[in-house]
Amino acid sequence: MQKIKKDQFSNRSILSIDQFTPDSFNRVFNEASALINEHERGVIHHELNGKIVTLLFYEPSSRTFSSFSSAAKRMGAQTVEYQNPTTTSSYVKGETMEDTIRVFANYSDCIVMRHFTTGIVKKLSRMIDIPMINAGDGSGEHPTQALLDMFTLHRRFGRLHNLKGLIAGDLLYGRTVHSLIKGLGKYQGNTLYLLAPERLKLPPYVEKEIKKMKIKIEYIKDEKSIPKDCNFWYWTRVQKERFSDPEEYEKLKKSFVITPSLLKQKGNANMVIMHPLPRIGEIDIKIDKDPRALYLSTQVKNGMYVRMALLKLVLG
Ligand code: CP
């Protein structure tokens, strides 16, 4: 996939973390940091006045949808918003995705799309001449989640190299994990420990891609093997919607849980705890008050600023 150079965001679709380089990550992160400072000073943005950002979400979403919606509005754009088009749009009458996207391109300056089919955003983006942003495609990728996760790590540790992290949960279907591992794989000296049930290990195609990268990956079998010196724990839910057998999901859903006792035994004072959310029980709510837990606060806020930055760069 063609890389985006740091000064080439204008009118580019954001489809995969593969498009980014350390320089283009920095461009987004510098812009997002500036927006945080400006927000704290009460600056109101007008850069995207007159622009229409369309949100087409074929899968449920709380964060990504509302984060993009507020990001667009905070930059001065207006939004056309569709959640559940499978029941509320002409999809119900049998309209193809190809026709829908070509129609919406007439109304919009940018389309942000979430869909249950891996690869569909990339495919549809080739049919229109406005940029598209992948807001999660099936079990494929979630590039803007990886951007906000990496921005969160960068703000906390001041770097994205020489980090040690634990990634736990559903590595097979978890698109945020695929994008995050590939993103961190672009920097020197990172080590990731992966903790997942055998059935939910990384898909072979992702393993193949990361083998070519700079990152060191090590599977661990159980919580006992978690090294104590991780910079971050990134926990994920088991993705119920990808299972055809509900019983199998029930067996796997609580495979690994962060509890106060696990954090005491295997955590350290300087680490952070992250989760893309939603969580469905894999982080004990007692952890929420811990200052190391970023998933309900810093991580979510950073998501809005990163999306403001991205929309500004793509549409500005
Ligand atoms: N992290 C994330 O993608 O959350 P939503 O599914 O609520 O958008």
Side-chain angles (χ1 to χ4, degrees), residues 60-64 114 142 145 276-277:
S61 167
S62 299
R63 275 146 296 278
T64 314
R114 170 170 290 190
H142 196 341
Q145 178 72 42
L277 302 181

Side-chain angles (χ1 to χ4, degrees), residues 48-55 68 72-73 76-81 104-112 130-131 311 315:
L48 300 186
N49 275 168
K51 302 284 186 190
I52 302 273
V53 177
T54 291
L55 309 182
F68 263 115
K73 287 165 185 149
Q78 289 180 288
T79 55
V80 171
E81 304 192 347
F104 274 94
N106 291 283
Y107 311 139
S108 324
D109 297 289
C110 173
I111 297 177
V112 180
I130 60 162
L311 289 173
L315 286 175

Side-chain angles (χ1 to χ4, degrees), residues 34-294:
L35 287 164
I36 291 176
N37 292 337
E38 285 159 11
H39 192 128
E40 283 166 0
R41 296 202 314 273
V43 174
I44 305 289
H45 289 274
H46 302 284
E47 287 91 325
L48 300 186
N49 275 168
K51 302 284 186 190
I52 302 273
V53 177
T54 291
L55 309 182
L56 269 178
F57 276 55
Y58 285 79
E59 271 194 340
S61 167
S62 299
R63 275 146 296 278
T64 314
F65 184 85
S66 44
S67 170
F68 263 115
S69 175
S70 49
K73 287 165 185 149
R74 283 190 188 279
M75 292 310 298
Q78 289 180 288
T79 55
V80 171
E81 304 192 347
Y82 248 112
Q83 267 192 311
N84 308 319
T86 43
T87 54
T88 57
S89 76
S90 286
Y91 183 94
V92 181
K93 303 174 201 163
E95 185 171 66
T96 64
M97 287 305 308
E98 287 79 0
D99 283 1
T100 303
I101 212 74
R102 283 183 290 197
V103 168
F104 274 94
N106 291 283
Y107 311 139
S108 324
D109 297 289
C110 173
I111 297 177
V112 180
M113 178 180 266
R114 170 170 290 190
H115 201 277
F116 40 82
T117 307
T118 302
I120 196 165
V121 186
K122 184 176 171 189
K123 181 179 153 204
L124 295 173
S125 71
R126 294 197 193 109
M127 307 186 67
I128 57 177
D129 56 10
I130 60 162
M132 287 190 76
I133 299 181
N134 180 0
D137 60 330
S139 54
E141 276 219 45
H142 196 341
T144 63
Q145 178 72 42
L147 285 176
L148 80 89
D149 293 335
M150 291 168 70
F151 179 60
T152 302
L153 290 171
H154 191 262
R155 276 179 80 80
R156 172 66 182 79
F157 296 107
R159 64 181 196 276
L160 285 169
H161 59 276
N162 294 341
L163 291 174
K164 262 191 191 180
L166 168 68
I167 301 189
D170 185 346
L171 313 185
L172 178 66
Y173 300 122
R175 57 195 173 200
T176 69
V177 168
H178 304 162
S179 296
L180 179 60
I181 296 178
K182 290 198 286 174
L184 290 174
K186 291 170 189 275
Y187 294 84
Q188 295 287 350
N190 290 324
T191 303
L192 293 179
Y193 299 95
L194 305 183
L195 178 61
E198 192 60 34
R199 158 87 170 83
L200 298 178
K201 285 182 160 183
L202 286 173
Y205 80 92
V206 175
E207 288 206 329
K208 198 173 154 197
E209 282 179 58
I210 56 181
K211 269 201 183 112
K212 295 180 226 151
M213 299 185 136
K214 299 164 183 170
I215 200 155
K216 187 175 163 211
I217 299 282
E218 194 179 310
Y219 274 103
I220 55 175
K221 279 199 172 60
D222 50 31
E223 289 98 329
K224 277 187 246 148
S225 316
I226 299 175
K228 273 197 70 102
D229 59 347
C230 283
N231 298 106
F232 67 92
W233 287 4
Y234 188 92
W235 232 259
T236 63
R237 86 185 154 98
V238 175
Q239 307 265 305
K240 182 181 184 181
E241 62 275 34
R242 314 281 176 227
F243 282 77
S244 50
D245 177 358
E247 272 181 33
E248 189 185 26
Y249 165 74
E250 287 301 321
K251 271 189 225 149
L252 291 172
K253 72 176 183 188
K254 294 276 182 66
S255 297
F256 301 108
V257 177
I258 308 185
T259 59
S261 109
L262 179 66
L263 190 55
K264 199 168 169 202
Q265 284 169 48
K266 293 293 179 181
N268 64 68
N270 296 317
M271 65 181 283
V272 293
I273 305 164
M274 295 166 66
H275 192 306
L277 302 181
R279 66 169 158 180
I280 44 91
E282 63 279 353
I283 301 182
D284 188 319
I285 57 167
K286 291 191 202 87
I287 306 289
D288 297 356
K289 287 200 194 102
D290 191 300
R292 294 168 289 184
L294 307 185

